[in-house]
């Protein structure tokens, strides 16, 4: 089996490959093997693992990357960002009309107010779901995604079927995700680029009047901010 | 992802769904991802340049490619871009890879693999 390294979640679906799990010895050009084999002789690394290791070794030597900083970055994206940042933004917009206006007018600045700043200098655009319009986001080119607010994209977001189908048949994709949009509601699909990333503001569920921001944020799912889902209703939250 | 969303999403025949948020299937994927972000921060390339490089690899792979290969395309795009930029050339990368392979094979299991200098 592939052992988990700190800060990296290993998908349970990951095949038990012959890949040798390794971890770096801090600050040195050394790697520990965490895994045992049937044989007593030398270790074997997968071709891909060797490629990554070679690249990292050279980039460290050339001063482009610092091994400890790489681990910190992975940890940040895996454990500290996630969609919670986005949920806080949405809860703020639901409860503070002035913030909502700022978010719709200049999302980059409004998100920065909450100290969620991107690393790629992304220009953020917030699109609001209403009775009239349902928004969805995709990146047909690769998988540009609003990382500062949603963390890393889900696997399906990166998949060729999603990237192509959402443009051709957005309602069909929504139906696959269990979301039904009324016929007279327009469905808009926003194609992210390296420069512009979109964030969907889902509709605030009914029956949440007077709720705190923290409690409202619990209703905001990652998918609701991509547009492939809706916010959780108070009933669903209790179940 | 809420339980409801998760159950519904599982009905999808074609779009692969993860259980809960982003995952790296293997450690090398996280390393490749993090190196790319750090290189961008260092100004090695612009983000549009990276998006083009990755987009090109994904497009070449086609619509029916498995999402499992996503980070393989990512890695290939990174290798190519770094070679184009003369940051890490293909030759030195191959040499370094061979050195790691040799070092690994010479190291008993459970021991630290050290790259010979």
């Amino acid at each position: 089996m592939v052992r988990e390294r700190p800060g990296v979640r290993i998908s349970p679906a990951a095949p038990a490959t012959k890949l040798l799990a390794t971890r770096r010895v801090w600050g040195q050009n050394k790697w520990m093997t965490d895994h045992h084999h049937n044989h007593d002789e030398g270790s074997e690394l997968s071709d891909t693992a060797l490629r990554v290791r070679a690249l990292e070794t050279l980039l460290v030597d050339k001063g482009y990357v610092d091994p400890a900083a790489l681990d910190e970055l992975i940890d940040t994206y895996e454990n500290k960002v996630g969609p919670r940042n986005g949920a806080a933004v949405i809860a703020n917009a639901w409860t503070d009309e002035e913030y909502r206006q700022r978010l719709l007018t200049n999302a980059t600045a409004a998100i920065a107010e909450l100290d969620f700043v991107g690393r790629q200098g992304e220009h953020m655009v917030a699109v609001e779901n209403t009775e009239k319009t349902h928004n969805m986001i995709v990146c047909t080119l690769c998988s540009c995604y609003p990382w500062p607010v949603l963390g890393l994209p889900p696997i399906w977001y990166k998949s060729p079927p999603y990237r192509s189908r959402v443009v051709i048949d957005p309602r069909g994709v929504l139906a696959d995700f269990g979301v039904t949009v009324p016929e007279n509601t327009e469905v808009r699909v926003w194609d992210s680029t390296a420069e512009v990333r979109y964030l969907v503001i889902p509709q605030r569920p009914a029956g949440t009047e007077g709720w705190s921001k923290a409690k409202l944020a619990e209703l905001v799912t990652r998918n609701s901010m991509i547009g492939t889902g809706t916010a959780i209703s108070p009933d669903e939250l209790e179940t | 992802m809420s339980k409801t969303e998760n159950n519904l999403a599982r009905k999808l025949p074609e779009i692969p769904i993860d259980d809960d948020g982003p995952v790296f299937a293997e450690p090398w994927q996280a390393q490749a991802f993090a190196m790319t972000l750090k290189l961008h921060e260092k100004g090695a390339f612009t983000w549009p340049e990276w998006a083009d490089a990755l987009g090109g690899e994904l497009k070449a792979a086609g619509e029916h490619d498995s999402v499992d290969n996503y980070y393989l395309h990512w890695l290939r795009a990174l290798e190519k871009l770094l070679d184009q930029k003369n940051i890490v050339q293909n030759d030195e990368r191959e040499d370094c890879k061979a050195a790691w392979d040799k070092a690994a094979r010479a190291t008993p299991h459970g021991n630290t693999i050290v790259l010979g200098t």
Side-chain angles (χ1 to χ4, degrees), chain A residues 136 138-140 161-170 173 189 191:
Chain A
M136 303 173 73
V138 65
C139 174
T140 54
Y162 179 76
R163 289 189 285 119
S164 56
R165 276 180 56 201
V166 76
V167 179
I168 302 163
D169 179 23
V173 170
V189 179
D191 196 355

Side-chain angles (χ1 to χ4, degrees), chain A residues 102-117:
Chain A
R102 291 201 297 280
L103 185 62
L104 288 169
T105 314
N106 184 345
T108 310
I111 290 166
E113 283 178 39
L114 304 183
D115 289 334
F116 306 143
V117 181

Side-chain angles (χ1 to χ4, degrees), chain A residues 5 9 31-33 42-43 47 51 53 56-57 62 119 143 152 156 160 176 195 197 221-223, chain B residues 5 12 15-16 21 24 31 33 41 47-48 63 70 79 87 92 97 100 104-105 107 109-110 112-113:
Chain A
R5 53 173 272 163
R9 223 167 339 161
W31 295 66
M32 288 295 294
T33 57
S43 310
D47 186 67
R51 281 165 65 193
R53 189 173 293 207
E56 184 178 336
T57 302
K62 290 166 189 269
R119 289 169 178 272
S143 64
L152 293 172
W156 54 260
D176 285 348
E195 287 95 1
R197 315 285 170 90
T221 63
R222 178 192 64 199
N223 284 16
Chain B
E5 268 185 278
L12 278 174
I15 300 176
F24 294 111
Q31 292 299 118
F33 166 81
E41 276 182 15
W47 204 252
E63 275 192 26
Y70 182 82
E79 288 171 344
I87 291 170
E92 58 179 334
K97 182 185 157 198
W100 269 116
R105 289 175 194 282
T107 306
H109 288 289
T112 304
I113 302 174

Side-chain angles (χ1 to χ4, degrees), chain B residues 21-54:
Chain B
V23 290
F24 294 111
E26 294 173 17
W28 69 263
Q29 299 181 348
Q31 292 299 118
F33 166 81
M35 281 193 284
T36 307
L37 263 63
K38 284 293 173 192
L39 282 160
H40 171 259
E41 276 182 15
K42 282 269 182 185
F45 42 74
T46 67
W47 204 252
E49 281 176 324
W50 167 248
D52 279 348
L54 176 59

